Amino acid sequence: MDAPSKIRVNQVGYDLRFPQIVTVLTDSPLILRDENGKELRRFVPPPLQWDEASGEQVAAVSLSLSAPGTYTLEADGERRKIAAEAAPWRNVSNALIKGLYYQRCGCALAEAHAGSYAHPACHTAPAVDWKDRNVQRKVIGGWHDAGDYGKYVGPGAVTAAHLLYAWKLFPDGCSDNLNIPESGNSVPDILNEARWELEWILQMQRADGAFHHKLTKARFAPFIMPQEDGETEYLMPVSSCATGAACACLSLASRVYRAFDAPFANRMLLSALRAWDWLQSHPEFVSFVNPEGVRTGQYGDQSDKDERFWAACELFAATGQARFREAVEALYAAGQRLTAFGWASVGGLGALCCLFDLKEKADSILYDALKKDYLAQSEEALALSQQSGYGTALSPDRYIWGSILPIMGNAMSMILNALITVREDMRDAALLQWHYALGMNALDTCFVTGFGEKRVLHPHHRPSGADGIDAPVPGLISGGPNKRFPYPTTKEKLGEDTPPAKYFLDETPSADTNEIAIYWNSPAIFVGAYFNMHA
Ligand SMILES: [Zn+2]
C-alpha cells in the first residue's frame, strides 16, 4: 500500500443527508474543490486532538457539502477524492450480504452467481459424531464461519439474527436483487441468504433437543479450496450456549418467515421449543471445550445466562406465553449486558427483541425498566466515540482479535438508542463507526474487500488464498487491528511501539488481524441497512 494520506475519508462515499466528517492529520489550511478543480472553500481545520489509539494528532472536519459530486480536499499539497451521492452505501451493503453467499457450504457456487469465484460443491460427506464414531448423519449447508471451513452454531445463530433484525427494522435498507440462486422468488434476498444458515442450524439439533456446538474437523484445513477439503467433519458435543443461541434465533426466524413459508416457520418454532425444554431440564452451564485432539475454533464462553435470556425473549415474542415472560424477567433481574451483540455475549439481541418487538405485550419491567437500563448502558458507546480523535467507539486497550465486532456492535447500540430517542448525536456517532469500517481510520484502509481506494487485498480466507485469482472474494470485512492477542510473528513485524489502532497486517497468514468472519459481516449489514433506509 502507498503511504497513508493525511486526509482520512469514508472511501466508499458520503451521504448528503448526514454530516460529512473526514479526519485530517494536519493543521494546515484545507482547500475544497469541485470536480472541475474550482476552489469552493479554503479553511483552517479545528485544533488537533490527541488520539491515543493511533498515537496521532487528528482533527475531525465537517465538509457541509450541498450537492452530489466528486470533490477534492487538498492539504499540504496532497489531494484526496471525496464522493458525495444520494445513496452511496447500497453497493457495499449488498456486497456484505453477497459475501455470505460466497461462504455457502454444501453446494456448488455457480458461475451465474459467483462469476470467477465459482467452485464445485464442498463438504457433502456425512458428519461423524465425535463421541460415538458409529453415528453418522448428513448435515449439509450453512456458511463457512470465517477464514476456515468450520461451522459453529452460536456464531451462526447470531449472524442470522443480525440479518433478520436488519430486515425487520430496516426492510428497505437492503436490495432484493443480489443475484443469488433464490433471487426473484418473492422472498427478500437477505432472508433467502439467512435461510441457508437456518436450515443448517436445524440439522445441528440432537434428538433430545440440545444443539451440537459445532461441525468441524479436528484441525484447520491448509489453504486449499473447500471442495478439496475431504477430511472428516465431526459433530462436536453439545453446549448450553449453542442450544440457547439456536433456540433464540430459530424462534425469531419463525416470526420473520411466517408470512413467507408457514411450514418452515412452524418447523423452526418446534425446534426452538424443544431446545428450550432441554435448557429447562439442564439449568446448569453446559460449557464447550475442544475435546483432546481438536484444534479448530472453540468459541468458548463463561456463561449461558445471556443466551437463555435472549431465547426467553424470542420465545415470549413468538408465543406470548406467560412462562417465557417469567423467564425473561428472572434472567433480566439477574443482570444482563444489554448492549452486547457479538457471538459470546448476546444480551443486546434480547434487549432488541424486548424494545422493538415486545412493546405491546410486555409489562413495565420488560419495556420501561429495560428501556431505561438500555439507554443508560448505550451512553458508554457514545462516550467512547467522543474520546477518540476518529470518533471510533473503542477504548485503546480493546483492540482485540476482530476489533471490528465491538466497533460495529457499538454502532448497533447507538442506532437502537437513536431509534428510541431520535437523538442526532447518537446517530452521527454511529455513522462514524461506518466511516471507520470504510476507510476513515488510522490505517487509511477500507476493511471491506472489493471496496475503497486503499483496500484489504490479502485477507486470511482460504478461498481467497487458494483460488488463483488476485483479488480476494468481495464483500468480506476484515477483523482489523489487534494488539491484545497478536501472533508472535505479527509482534515481530510491528513491535511494541506500534499503536493499537495500527496493529494490522494486510497479509494472508495474519489471522490475528486480517481474518474475515460471518459475524463481522452481519453487524455491518445491520448498520448499513439503517443508514441506507434513513438516507
Ligand atoms: Zn464447505
Side-chain angles (χ1 to χ4, degrees):
M1 273 190 208
D2 302 334
S5 164
K6 283 183 181 175
I7 304 166
R8 308 293 165 81
V9 303
N10 182 325
Q11 297 176 18
V12 178
Y14 285 88
D15 192 305
L16 295 172
R17 300 192 206 187
F18 305 116
Q20 304 102 40
I21 304 294
V22 304
T23 311
V24 298
L25 286 76
T26 176
D27 53 8
S28 303
L30 305 172
I31 303 165
L32 182 69
R33 298 179 190 277
D34 69 11
E35 49 201 37
N36 301 317
K38 186 185 155 205
E39 184 175 320
L40 300 174
R41 201 149 66 90
R42 184 180 287 252
F43 58 106
V44 176
L48 294 170
Q49 178 191 345
W50 174 246
D51 178 66
E52 192 188 331
S54 64
E56 293 166 339
Q57 300 276 359
V58 305
V61 175
S62 185
L63 293 178
S64 309
L65 304 170
S66 56
T70 304
Y71 297 84
T72 306
L73 191 65
E74 195 176 316
D76 297 331
E78 187 203 332
R79 292 178 172 196
R80 195 85 199 246
K81 262 190 192 155
I82 291 165
E85 297 170 42
W89 303 314
R90 284 265 164 194
N91 288 344
V92 71
S93 285
N94 293 340
L96 284 163
I97 304 171
K98 183 80 180 260
L100 296 174
Y101 162 77
Y102 288 114
Q103 294 291 96
R104 284 192 190 189
C105 182
C107 63
L109 301 190
E111 208 179 323
H113 310 294
S116 56
Y117 300 101
H119 66 71
C122 57
H123 303 114
T124 51
V128 176
D129 193 292
W130 180 263
K131 283 187 166 172
D132 182 355
R133 306 294 167 92
N134 296 317
V135 176
Q136 294 199 2
R137 92 185 145 86
K138 281 218 158 199
V139 182
I140 310 291
W143 295 311
H144 300 138
D145 174 68
D148 66 314
Y149 295 133
K151 285 153 286 180
Y152 306 81
V153 165
V158 165
T159 304
H162 288 149
L163 267 60
L164 300 180
Y165 274 119
W167 179 78
K168 274 181 115 283
L169 292 173
F170 322 119
D172 299 326
C174 349
S175 302
D176 186 21
N177 185 22
L178 300 180
N179 186 24
I180 57 177
E182 300 80 9
S183 293
N185 67 350
S186 310
V187 177
D189 270 354
I190 188 170
L191 300 186
N192 283 325
E193 195 50 54
R195 183 166 180 164
W196 192 260
E197 186 73 359
L198 293 164
E199 294 277 14
W200 172 78
I201 291 174
L202 282 166
Q203 298 169 64
M204 289 295 283
Q205 190 164 31
R206 206 169 59 177
D208 65 353
F211 277 80
H212 291 279
H213 192 76
K214 63 175 184 175
L215 177 62
T216 68
K217 290 158 302 170
R219 286 166 187 270
F220 289 126
F223 265 64
I224 53 177
M225 289 299 284
Q227 70 274 15
E228 293 161 0
D229 179 24
E231 296 271 318
T232 304
E233 288 187 301
Y234 294 99
L235 282 160
M236 295 291 176
V238 303
S239 71
S240 52
C241 286
T243 305
C247 174
C249 172
L250 292 170
S251 180
L252 160 64
S254 76
R255 291 191 283 133
V256 169
Y257 289 85
R258 188 153 302 282
F260 300 103
D261 185 343
F264 177 49
N266 289 337
R267 199 150 55 90
M268 290 191 287
L269 185 56
L270 283 175
S271 167
L273 288 166
R274 283 172 52 226
W276 180 259
D277 289 345
W278 185 87
L279 289 168
Q280 291 304 98
S281 60
H282 295 79
E284 74 282 7
F285 175 47
V286 182
S287 67
F288 178 84
V289 179
N290 265 337
E292 205 180 325
V294 176
R295 297 273 185 82
T296 43
Q298 179 160 290
Y299 290 103
D301 205 335
Q302 307 299 316
S303 163
D304 62 12
K305 291 279 180 273
D306 50 324
E307 283 83 3
R308 288 172 190 265
F309 169 68
W310 179 31
C313 295
E314 296 292 355
L315 280 169
F316 181 39
T319 67
Q321 291 174 16
R323 60 177 173 142
F324 297 120
R325 185 184 62 226
E326 285 155 21
V328 181
E329 286 175 358
L331 288 157
Y332 171 55
Q336 295 290 341
R337 274 185 61 213
L338 300 178
T339 53
F341 298 96
W343 61 265
S345 196
V346 299
L349 292 164
L352 206 172
C353 176
C354 290
L355 291 170
F356 294 89
D357 286 359
L358 289 186
K359 199 172 170 182
E360 273 80 42
K361 292 177 190 166
D363 62 15
S364 62
I365 296 175
L366 294 186
Y367 190 69
D368 296 335
L370 192 143
K371 180 171 79 172
K372 198 173 157 207
D373 204 358
Y374 179 83
L375 295 178
Q377 290 188 32
S378 55
E379 291 293 341
E380 194 190 321
L382 181 64
L384 286 170
S385 171
Q386 288 167 342
Q387 285 155 19
S388 157
Y390 286 89
T392 308
L394 194 68
S395 75
D397 64 348
R398 294 295 298 165
Y399 280 81
I400 55 170
W401 188 311
S403 53
I404 195 74
L405 176 58
I407 294 170
M408 289 298 105
N410 279 335
M412 286 180 69
S413 176
M414 292 188 278
I415 284 169
L416 298 187
N417 183 305
L419 287 172
I420 296 165
T421 62
V422 201
R423 276 172 59 178
E424 286 194 354
D425 58 345
M426 283 286 175
R427 181 201 70 183
D428 294 348
L431 183 55
L432 296 177
Q433 317 317 310
W434 185 237
H435 290 344
Y436 168 92
L438 302 181
M440 198 184 81
N441 55 52
L443 292 155
D444 194 11
T445 297
C446 176
F447 287 116
V448 181
T449 54
F451 289 83
E453 191 184 346
K454 298 190 180 186
R455 56 181 67 185
V456 168
L457 294 173
H458 308 288
H460 183 87
H461 179 239
R462 278 164 177 71
S464 294
D467 61 11
I469 302 168
D470 281 349
V473 171
L476 301 172
I477 197 163
S478 165
N482 162 27
K483 198 173 181 178
R484 277 287 283 272
F485 311 108
Y487 285 163
T489 44
T490 302
K491 265 181 159 171
E492 212 170 281
K493 285 193 176 172
L494 294 176
E496 275 304 315
D497 295 337
T498 301
K502 293 182 175 174
Y503 228 81
F504 175 78
L505 294 171
D506 184 18
E507 297 175 6
T508 305
S510 185
D512 54 336
T513 74
N514 203 24
E515 192 168 6
I516 63 91
I518 55 173
Y519 50 86
W520 299 338
N521 263 49
S522 56
I525 289 166
F526 183 98
V527 172
Y530 167 76
F531 286 111
N532 289 337
M533 186 158 130
H534 286 250

